[in-house]
Amino acid sequence: MKKNLFYYLFAVICSVSLFTSCSDDDDDKVVCPVSETTFTDKSGLQLTYSDAPMLGKTVQFVPQGDKAVLTLSGAPLELSGLQRNEMPALGGLATAGVVPGELTTTLNVDLKIEGDKVSFEGTDEKEGRVLTYKGEATQSGLQLDLNVTLPKNELAGTSWNLAPVKFLSASPIHVVWDADKFPLGDDGEWDMNGALNLMFGMAPIKDGKTIPQLLCGVLNKVTFLADGNIQAEYKDDPSDADWKTSSLNLASYVVKDGKLYVYLNAAQIAAVAARSRAIDMSFVTELVKDIIPMLAGGVPLSYSIGEDGKTIVYLDKDVLLPLLQKVAPLFEDEVVINELIELLKANAGEMAALVDTFLKPILVALPNVIATTTEIQIGLTLLPVV
């Protein structure tokens, strides 16, 4: 009997210990009040970058006990609401990530759990990039504040003015276009470099001003900030009295492999494209297919800095020629050319007679010029602000 009592008591003690252990395990298990959720502008995401709102992004929140993984990326661009009926559907297009140059950014964070809310803060470093974050989340929303310093590069922290306008020159626009010459008049020939410099330097576009004059009238300064933002000092119209400073998070950049990659606000690009009413929208769709990859991967720009500090930033042949090949068929359409000529005449004032003489041959020749292009660069000449 004593032996049986011993085994009985031993079994009870073991059972109690087992249940106690299980109970302790359950008590120690951390349950995050926020389940796996992808937050967007429409579902509670409040994202700031350098203390300014940043729209068009997503943050995926994946809890792991008292930790979580946050994945930051660009929200897919939906063009369905901006497209005209005759355009083929374009939806769910990839856009640039939150941090310039990073399609996705992953943060492993430690959570502080308080009731139905979690909070977190810390620093993430990657290949010279330093990102500090602070945020909090509930099931209905996520607030995330980011401050970023990109790896050092020769543009960060610099400001630039446009080069001055020059007579019979495209300046501050930088143009190089090597291709076959084309007929001018009865016996003459012209090349695109000379033609474009003359066209930019002489042809009035608005209020008697040329494209270089208008450009210098609305853009005063460009600054490359250390956080990857590009900020501009600008006017809405050349006649405005004061310069404005652009908001943050509209355009950003990274310098990588000797090139400058610029990331633009995808929603604004889509809105501008949707306003066009003058051209065949199927053509726009084909052009958009070439531009769309740049929304996520950035617009690749070449640049060179001279000993005097003068800098040329430009799109090169690899970027421009495929786009030009898409638009070339437009200039085989006599109706399109005539509409452009009439538009130019309407703005040329006293120089309207020169439009037929000089500009129409350029437009007519464009398909062959594009087909025979061996080099092309179009960009801006910048001078350092001192």
Side-chain angles (χ1 to χ4, degrees):
M1 176 66 186
K2 289 182 179 180
K3 185 176 181 181
N4 290 339
L5 179 59
F6 170 78
Y7 285 118
Y8 173 76
L9 291 174
F10 181 78
V12 169
I13 292 170
C14 289
S15 298
V16 171
S17 299
L18 178 62
F19 284 119
T20 302
S21 174
C22 290
S23 177
D24 289 342
D25 287 345
D26 290 339
D27 291 341
D28 292 341
K29 184 177 181 182
V30 176
V31 178
C32 178
V34 182
S35 61
E36 181 174 337
T37 307
T38 297
F39 295 97
T40 68
D41 293 338
K42 294 181 180 180
S43 62
L45 177 62
Q46 298 181 55
L47 176 65
T48 69
Y49 188 102
S50 294
D51 301 320
M54 176 178 273
L55 302 176
K57 308 301 177 183
T58 70
V59 177
Q60 183 187 40
F61 180 93
V62 179
Q64 297 177 349
D66 60 354
K67 301 181 185 297
V69 178
L70 276 60
T71 304
L72 288 54
S73 59
L77 177 63
E78 297 293 340
L79 295 181
S80 56
L82 299 170
Q83 290 173 248
R84 293 168 61 184
N85 292 335
E86 63 267 34
M87 288 182 68
L90 291 171
L93 304 170
T95 59
V98 173
V99 178
E102 298 180 20
L103 200 56
T104 61
T105 301
T106 301
L107 302 177
N108 296 288
V109 305
D110 296 320
L111 300 178
K112 180 180 179 181
I113 301 174
E114 297 176 299
D116 63 352
K117 181 180 75 174
V118 300
S119 59
F120 49 88
E121 61 181 298
T123 300
D124 181 77
E125 299 186 24
K126 178 182 178 183
E127 298 176 356
R129 181 269 287 150
V130 180
L131 180 155
T132 60
Y133 58 87
K134 184 176 182 179
E136 61 181 42
T138 65
Q139 194 60 52
S140 60
L142 184 146
Q143 169 74 44
L144 180 59
D145 303 317
L146 303 176
N147 285 282
V148 175
T149 301
L150 292 184
K152 290 182 179 179
N153 64 77
E154 56 190 344
L155 294 178
T158 62
S159 294
W160 306 82
N161 296 130
L162 294 177
V165 174
K166 297 180 180 179
F167 181 64
L168 295 184
S169 167
S171 179
I173 299 171
H174 167 78
V175 179
V176 173
W177 196 334
D178 297 333
D180 284 358
K181 293 182 177 181
F182 56 91
L184 178 67
D186 295 330
D187 302 310
E189 282 188 326
W190 217 359
D191 65 83
M192 283 301 289
N193 284 311
L196 288 175
N197 274 284
L198 185 63
M199 182 177 72
F200 282 128
M202 290 188 63
I205 299 299
K206 180 184 178 184
D207 300 331
K209 292 182 172 12
T210 63
I211 291 176
Q213 289 170 334
L214 290 170
L215 182 59
C216 288
V218 296
L219 180 60
N220 183 49
K221 185 171 70 175
V222 176
T223 299
F224 297 91
L225 299 177
D227 68 353
N229 264 291
I230 300 175
Q231 202 162 35
E233 195 172 89
Y234 72 101
K235 292 180 180 179
D236 292 320
D237 189 272
S239 62
D240 293 347
D242 299 319
W243 296 101
K244 301 178 181 179
T245 300
S246 64
S247 301
L248 295 178
N249 305 327
L250 294 178
S252 58
Y253 77 98
V254 294
V255 176
K256 181 173 59 177
D257 300 327
K259 289 212 169 188
L260 168 66
Y261 288 82
V262 174
Y263 304 86
L264 303 175
N265 183 298
Q268 288 186 0
I269 294 172
V272 170
R275 293 192 193 109
S276 176
R277 295 293 183 269
I279 54 179
D280 175 17
M281 295 308 289
S282 63
F283 150 74
V284 172
T285 302
E286 289 302 311
L287 194 60
V288 164
K289 289 179 181 177
D290 283 320
I291 295 174
I292 286 302
M294 299 182 195
L295 296 179
V299 179
L301 297 169
S302 298
Y303 72 98
S304 62
I305 301 177
E307 292 183 1
D308 58 354
K310 183 173 74 173
T311 295
I312 300 172
V313 179
Y314 59 93
L315 293 166
D316 62 19
K317 178 183 173 183
D318 291 341
V319 177
L320 286 172
L321 193 54
L323 300 178
L324 288 169
Q325 289 167 343
K326 288 289 195 308
V327 305
L330 280 179
F331 298 97
E332 296 172 356
D333 187 333
E334 188 175 350
V335 173
V336 171
I337 290 178
N338 289 335
E339 287 179 353
L340 288 172
I341 291 298
E342 292 305 313
L343 178 64
L344 291 169
K345 283 182 177 179
N347 289 281
E350 297 177 354
M351 303 180 70
L354 298 178
V355 172
D356 279 320
T357 303
F358 292 105
L359 298 185
K360 188 170 184 178
I362 297 175
L363 298 178
V364 171
L366 270 179
N368 184 63
V369 167
I370 292 169
T372 60
T373 293
T374 57
E375 179 60 45
I376 182 168
Q377 302 174 6
I378 296 179
L380 293 174
T381 302
L382 305 173
L383 301 178
V385 174
V386 293

